[in-house]
Structures are given as C-alpha cells and as structure tokens.
Amino acid sequence: MPSVHIIAFSAWLWIASLVCLTTGPARAADPVRLAVQKTGTLAWEIDVVRTHGLDTAAGITITLLELASPEAGKIALRSGTVDVIVADWLWVSRERDLGANLVFYPYSSTLGAIMVPTPSPIRNLGDLRGRKLAVAGGPIDKSWLLLQAAMKQDGIDLKTEATIVYGAPVLLAEKTRQGEMDATLNFWNICAGLEAKGFRRIAGIEDILPRLGARGRLAMLGYVFDGSWAARNRSAISRFIEVTRKAKEILATSDAEWDRIAALVGAADQPTLQTYRRRYREGVPRRSIDDEEGDARTLYRVLSRLGGRQLVGPASELAPGTFYRPDSRS
C-alpha cells in the first residue's frame, strides 16, 4: 500500500498540472507607444493612468516618447517610431487624401479663447474692430479662421478691420499683459493662465461654433494612429482608449487628483490650478462619434473655404473614414 505522503503528493501534482493546462502562461501586456509633450495635457492623464495602475489592470504597457512639438509627433507617427499621437482631424483628413491610412478618435473639445486685460473697454467680439489683436499660431490657425468666419456673419472682416499680429503663444500673452496688444486669441492653456491672473475671457472658440453650424462642443483634437496598426491591435487600442477615458473621469471628478499633479500642470497657485481644472473638465468629450463626425464635416467646409489648400489640401470635404470607430470591423 502506497504511503499517505505519496498519494497526497501525486494528487498535488495532478491539481497543479490541471491548473497549468487550464490557465496557461500569463499573457504579456500589449505595448502602446505614445508621443507626448512633457507639459501637455496628455502627460497629465498618463501620470494618472500610471499612478492608479490603470494600464496594468488593462493589460497594456504605455511607453512614452517625449517630444518638443506637435509637428515632431506627426513625424514620429509617420516614421513608425510611435503608435499614437494627439493631433486634429483636419490633419488626419488631409493625410488620408494624400494616401495615408490614419484615423482619429476624439480626445478633447477644449479650444482657445479671446482674452483681454481686466480694465479693457473691449466687451464683445464686435469691439475688436480697430484694435490690435495678437493671434497665436499664425494666419491659418484653426481658431483664427473660425473666429473670422463667425465675425463675417456680423459684417466684420477682422483680417482687414483690426491690426493682426502673429507670434508664439507665450510671447503674445506677455505682450498683451504688458499692454502692447489690446487682446489675444491664444491656446487654451495660455488662456487659463491669463484668466487666473485676472484677464477677462471675451469668448471661447467653442462658443462661436454653433454660429458656424456645429450642434455641440466639437473635439478638434484626438488620438491619431495608423488604421492598419489599429486593425492588427484592435483590442489593445480599445483598452488604451478605455484606460485614458478612466483617467479623464478621475480628473473630471477628483479635486484631490489635481492637487497631486499641480507641479506637473505647472500651476504655481490654487487660482491657476482651479482655472486649468475647470477648463480641462469642460473639454472632456461626451458625445457620440456620429455627432462628432457630423460637426467636423460642417466645420471642415468652413475651414476649407477660408484656409484653402494650404490648410486642408486639395479636398473640399472631410475624407471618408477619418473618424475611428472601435466597434467597427472594417
């Protein structure tokens, strides 16, 4: 008769082998290579992802490549150095028309604004006529073109009826603060910093979009990646989108989380942090892809008319397939 110890050991081996056959080896996490700007909004979100272990729980490994500018991110994506960047659907549509298989998924609807010093007599957009307006981003900046289109509905051609100065966002904000400019149309994060310093917000670009045919807050910025890569890694990109959505929800609901990332945001005081927090939360996308794409098509026509080939390329309509649908198998 075999001993009790031998029987028990044999039973343990049988159970262990059964578990191995059932579960198999642990699956390696799927990699997602992401381009970020060190001080950008996406860097805040990825910090939240890692702090809360959202990537580990989802079975993905997010590798960051820090770049100095959005243009560097576009080059990195096209060269295959990274898998995902943040860019706008205008660029994606243009690239698709040129033969690239890029796709776009909404990331943020936070846009720039027109800011003036507190004592300024400028109270509305019409008051910009005859003033010196500092425009960040250059003559074909999307916010600038959208502002021009809205003002033309009121019979005002800002391009000829105001003095327009183009330049770097931070420089123009400082010149406006010093009184060299009457107002500045600037990027949302620069505007948030000015707002915290007491500047008045005349209008956000999102406020004028309904006048141009949009039905809601449109996400101009989104995650951009190669459609063929997404087809091969459909599960990974879906989990990446879900993980970053959870990070957005944490930032949308937790003030304590903002206190934790204050240094990363670059907020020197609570008023500045609170302004960043409020504007960020306003821009978290909440709409369906169909609604986003519908408004993008409408505004594409406006931007195509004003910006021409230099902005959108040869096409007068948003390229088919620009918006990515995670549940699509095409």
Side-chain angles (χ1 to χ4, degrees), residues 32 96 200 288:
V32 177
R96 289 183 69 84
R200 284 191 290 109
S288 70

Short mmCIF file of all heavy atoms in Angstrom, two decimals, residues 32 96 200 288:
data_model
loop_
_atom_site.label_atom_id
_atom_site.label_comp_id
_atom_site.label_asym_id
_atom_site.label_seq_id
_atom_site.Cartn_x
_atom_site.Cartn_y
_atom_site.Cartn_z
N VAL A 32 1.84 49.95 -26.21
CA VAL A 32 1.33 51.10 -26.96
C VAL A 32 2.37 52.21 -26.80
O VAL A 32 2.62 52.66 -25.68
CB VAL A 32 -0.04 51.58 -26.46
CG1 VAL A 32 -0.48 52.83 -27.22
CG2 VAL A 32 -1.09 50.48 -26.59
N ARG A 96 -5.12 61.47 -45.18
CA ARG A 96 -5.87 60.41 -45.84
C ARG A 96 -6.05 60.71 -47.33
O ARG A 96 -5.94 59.82 -48.18
CB ARG A 96 -7.24 60.21 -45.18
CG ARG A 96 -7.17 59.58 -43.80
CD ARG A 96 -8.56 59.34 -43.21
NE ARG A 96 -9.28 58.30 -43.93
CZ ARG A 96 -9.15 56.99 -43.68
NH1 ARG A 96 -8.31 56.57 -42.73
NH2 ARG A 96 -9.83 56.10 -44.37
N ARG A 200 -9.88 88.93 -18.64
CA ARG A 200 -11.28 88.61 -18.94
C ARG A 200 -11.36 87.80 -20.23
O ARG A 200 -10.63 88.07 -21.20
CB ARG A 200 -12.11 89.88 -19.10
CG ARG A 200 -12.46 90.55 -17.77
CD ARG A 200 -13.51 91.64 -17.95
NE ARG A 200 -12.97 92.80 -18.67
CZ ARG A 200 -13.31 93.14 -19.91
NH1 ARG A 200 -14.15 92.39 -20.60
NH2 ARG A 200 -12.78 94.24 -20.46
N SER A 288 -21.37 61.21 -29.08
CA SER A 288 -21.15 60.03 -29.91
C SER A 288 -20.21 60.37 -31.06
O SER A 288 -20.04 61.53 -31.44
CB SER A 288 -22.48 59.53 -30.47
OG SER A 288 -22.98 60.44 -31.44
#
